[in-house]
Amino acid sequence: MTEIVQESIDLKPETITKKDITIAWLRWYYANEIPHSFDRYLAASLMWGLMPILKKLYKSKSELAAAYQRHLLFFNTQITWGGGTISGIMASLESVRADEVYNKKPISIDNDVLYNTKAGLMGALAGIGDAIDSGTVQYIFIAIALPWAQEGLAIGALFPFFAFVVYQLFVGYYFAQLGFKLGKNAATEVVGNKMQMLIEGLSILGLFMMGILAASYIKVSSSLKFTLSGKDFVIQDTLDKILPGALPLIVVMGLYFYFSKKGLKVTRALIGLTIILGVLAAIGIL
């Protein structure tokens, strides 16, 4: 007679710690674009980031498999502001759901709640993250490093890359911890008054940096000069005394108004600008 031994499995969810959230964030950051697909986009990256947490929450193979499946639906957002925040929020909601499953309570955090939370946040947070990270912060690092690059220093090429990586790691870590701590309310904090003030401050700083770049690296000058009553007048010298960098500013503002009126037609703008500057140079104004 064969004795059947039934293995006792404790299905109680384990407690999720800050370390678990940090690991989830780092895994998401590392795998962000590796399993990118057209039908699911970054869903596999998010699921892989959450895997250690889901394994601690769901000891039943069927529940764990179901958790994997619900995080493999279409997902796409910005890596830090969106991915960091949503990773933390998903860990928080899954913790609540796992406790409800274990204690056989009515499931308040169902599949629709989880996915709709992701779907409602991923676009809004991506817009903020892209504007701040890709549209402002990385150009600040580039502007800082440009003088080093002009001097032929290797740090001029390496600094923007490494500084941006370190910045994203810390920002994403903060938002992941915030998302886990506040759950769905974390989104309110991310788009709240304090964060809006930070966003506006970074935007203003970014505009200053773009102005510095325009004045320093756009070289447009006038070669026009004439003699009046025996005295030589050099137009560029006069402009430098009145408003240094006036011609580069005129070029930048001209492109800005063109893009505002005609849209971001870069190739057409470059061709038109080349023709205009060429004509002005041919007749001796530039």
Side-chain angles (χ1 to χ4, degrees):
M1 180 176 178
T2 304
E3 182 180 357
I4 299 176
V5 179
Q6 183 175 0
E7 184 181 356
S8 177
I9 301 175
D10 185 6
L11 301 179
K12 185 177 181 180
E14 298 179 46
T15 301
I16 304 302
T17 65
K18 285 187 176 182
K19 181 180 178 181
D20 295 322
I21 302 301
T22 301
I23 291 173
W25 151 244
L26 292 175
R27 285 167 65 96
W28 151 259
Y29 184 82
Y30 169 76
N32 184 250
E33 293 286 349
I34 294 176
H36 197 146
S37 66
F38 287 106
D39 57 337
R40 301 177 190 270
Y41 268 64
L42 306 178
S45 301
L46 179 66
M47 189 274 288
W48 191 74
L50 293 173
M51 276 180 64
I53 289 177
L54 296 176
K55 287 181 179 179
K56 291 185 71 173
L57 293 176
Y58 300 104
K59 304 301 181 178
S60 164
K61 288 186 178 180
S62 60
E63 288 291 344
L64 181 60
Y68 288 166
Q69 287 296 322
R70 61 175 166 263
H71 288 293
L72 282 175
L73 298 176
F74 177 90
F75 179 73
N76 187 33
T77 192
Q78 193 265 350
I79 189 170
T80 50
W81 293 66
T85 307
I86 293 173
S87 294
I89 292 175
M90 289 300 106
S92 176
L93 296 182
E94 288 285 5
S95 297
V96 175
R97 178 189 173 107
D99 182 71
E100 292 174 344
V101 170
Y102 176 73
N103 291 293
K104 296 181 172 54
K105 297 179 181 178
I107 305 299
S108 62
I109 310 297
D110 58 18
N111 291 1
D112 289 339
V113 169
L114 287 163
Y115 186 73
N116 290 338
T117 300
K118 285 192 290 187
L121 295 178
M122 61 186 184
L125 294 177
I128 296 173
D130 286 337
I132 297 302
D133 286 9
S134 302
T136 302
V137 173
Q138 71 172 349
Y139 291 109
I140 292 175
F141 292 140
I142 292 171
I144 292 172
L146 272 175
W148 301 329
Q150 285 188 320
E151 293 176 8
L153 299 176
I155 192 175
L158 299 176
F159 174 80
F161 173 76
F162 286 108
F164 192 58
V165 168
V166 171
Y167 158 81
Q168 285 196 316
L169 284 172
F170 277 102
V171 169
Y173 167 82
Y174 170 77
F175 284 129
Q177 299 293 345
L178 181 70
F180 181 69
K181 179 181 178 181
L182 301 181
K184 289 189 290 184
N185 294 328
T188 304
E189 186 75 13
V190 173
V191 298
N193 292 332
K194 291 182 180 179
M195 201 59 67
Q196 288 300 317
M197 290 175 63
L198 174 61
I199 292 170
E200 290 177 8
L202 287 172
S203 299
I204 293 171
L205 178 59
L207 290 174
F208 273 115
M209 299 305 294
M210 292 303 102
I212 292 170
L213 288 176
S216 301
Y217 299 103
I218 297 177
K219 305 296 183 182
V220 182
S221 61
S222 175
S223 60
L224 185 63
K225 58 183 178 180
F226 56 90
T227 302
L228 184 62
S229 300
K231 185 177 181 180
D232 294 332
F233 287 89
V234 181
I235 296 299
Q236 187 60 52
D237 292 343
T238 304
L239 290 174
D240 289 341
K241 292 177 183 178
I242 299 172
L243 182 61
L247 293 180
L249 177 63
I250 291 172
V251 173
V252 172
M253 294 306 297
L255 286 171
Y256 170 77
F257 286 117
Y258 175 81
F259 290 141
S260 298
K261 295 291 184 181
K262 302 295 183 179
L264 198 62
K265 300 176 180 178
V266 178
T267 303
R268 187 178 298 180
L270 288 174
I271 294 173
L273 184 61
T274 301
I275 294 172
I276 293 172
L277 294 178
V279 171
L280 293 176
I283 62 179
I285 294 178
L286 297 181

